Amino acid sequence: MNIILLGAPGAGKGTQAEIICEKLSIPTISTGAILRQAMKDGTEMGLKAKSFIEAGALVPDEVIIGIVKERLSEDDCKNGFILDGVPRTIAQAKAIDEMGIRIDMALDIEVKDETIIERVSGRRVCACGASYHIKYKPSATEGVCDKCGGALTIRKDDEPQTVLDRLTTYHELTEPLKDFYREKGILVEIYGEGTVDETTQLVLKALEV
């Protein structure tokens, strides 16, 4: 099964992707990860991407989709895959179609902006690698790591303003994909406001596994 995961940043796509991977024995293709790998491996598309990044420019759609296509041609994708982080725009979605990449389902995890802001801006991390959440997974002493006693900090990506900026970009550029895939008859919307387990049950039901 070839699946695209949609949803705002912080909606829980990464968590659900891991679960689907395990259940269906198919890989998750995360744009950031394959971009880094393609650059490291020095593939044709990887070198193209590197030249844009080193020039401080955005990597163009055709290069991103080219890297995705390179990755999808590998053996582990024969039985299906999950795309997470691509397409981000209608133009990328059309490019995927034009490259002959078949998509069976666009799975959209719906979470309100307020919930995402609460989830993401409550995250805290320690230099030792431990992670917490002020509401869902608090440390014993506020601001102090349980494991090493280090100070807990907020990652730049998790600061409220950064989260708002990312949500604005999502609504402007990525959310229109819902209508694009709805018109194709492959959009499935999942209520993602509940616990991770509740969302997982809805995802697995949609996938009929």
Side-chain angles (χ1 to χ4, degrees):
M1 195 174 209
N2 301 344
I3 303 163
I4 284 175
L5 273 184
L6 297 175
K13 297 190 297 297
T15 303
Q16 295 306 325
E18 283 177 24
I19 293 162
I20 298 167
C21 271
E22 207 174 293
K23 287 279 182 187
L24 299 182
S25 300
I26 57 175
T28 296
I29 313 299
S30 155
T31 326
I34 60 167
L35 196 57
R36 287 189 293 274
Q37 192 61 48
M39 289 192 291
K40 188 179 165 192
D41 293 345
T43 68
E44 183 190 347
M45 288 294 178
L47 292 172
K48 279 187 183 176
K50 194 174 183 180
S51 66
F52 285 102
I53 289 168
E54 285 176 351
L58 284 173
V59 180
D61 284 352
E62 62 267 23
V63 177
I64 295 278
I65 303 302
I67 286 173
V68 169
K69 193 169 188 188
E70 279 180 350
R71 178 66 183 85
L72 296 182
S73 68
E74 293 178 24
D75 280 352
D76 64 340
C77 294
K78 278 181 180 168
N79 296 323
F81 53 80
I82 303 160
L83 286 181
D84 179 12
V86 66
R88 284 187 188 276
T89 61
I90 297 284
Q92 286 185 359
K94 286 179 176 171
I96 284 173
D97 280 357
E98 284 159 16
M99 281 197 172
I101 298 167
R102 189 190 86 250
I103 301 300
D104 300 310
M105 183 185 288
L107 198 61
D108 173 46
I109 301 173
E110 281 290 306
V111 182
K112 290 187 297 219
D113 285 5
E114 308 88 83
T115 307
I116 284 172
I117 292 164
E118 179 191 34
R119 280 182 188 175
V120 178
S121 58
R123 291 174 185 163
R124 298 291 183 271
V125 292
C126 178
C128 77
S131 58
Y132 301 88
H133 191 284
I134 55 173
K135 181 177 178 182
Y136 305 112
K137 191 187 169 186
S139 55
T141 305
E142 191 179 337
V144 179
C145 178
D146 293 345
K147 291 182 179 174
C148 74
L152 299 181
T153 57
I154 303 176
R155 294 188 316 154
K156 177 97 177 76
D157 275 1
D158 295 340
E159 288 175 2
Q161 190 54 52
T162 308
V163 177
L164 279 172
D165 292 344
R166 289 173 72 201
L167 283 170
T168 301
T169 303
Y170 167 76
H171 291 309
E172 286 174 4
L173 295 178
T174 308
E175 201 163 29
L177 285 170
K178 292 195 313 197
D179 286 337
F180 180 84
Y181 288 115
R182 187 179 283 116
E183 282 170 22
K184 288 179 174 289
I186 59 170
L187 181 77
V188 176
E189 293 180 282
I190 299 291
Y191 175 80
E193 294 275 340
T195 64
V196 171
D197 285 347
E198 285 166 347
T199 305
T200 299
Q201 290 309 312
L202 294 171
V203 166
L204 297 179
K205 188 178 175 187
L207 294 170
E208 297 180 358
V209 291

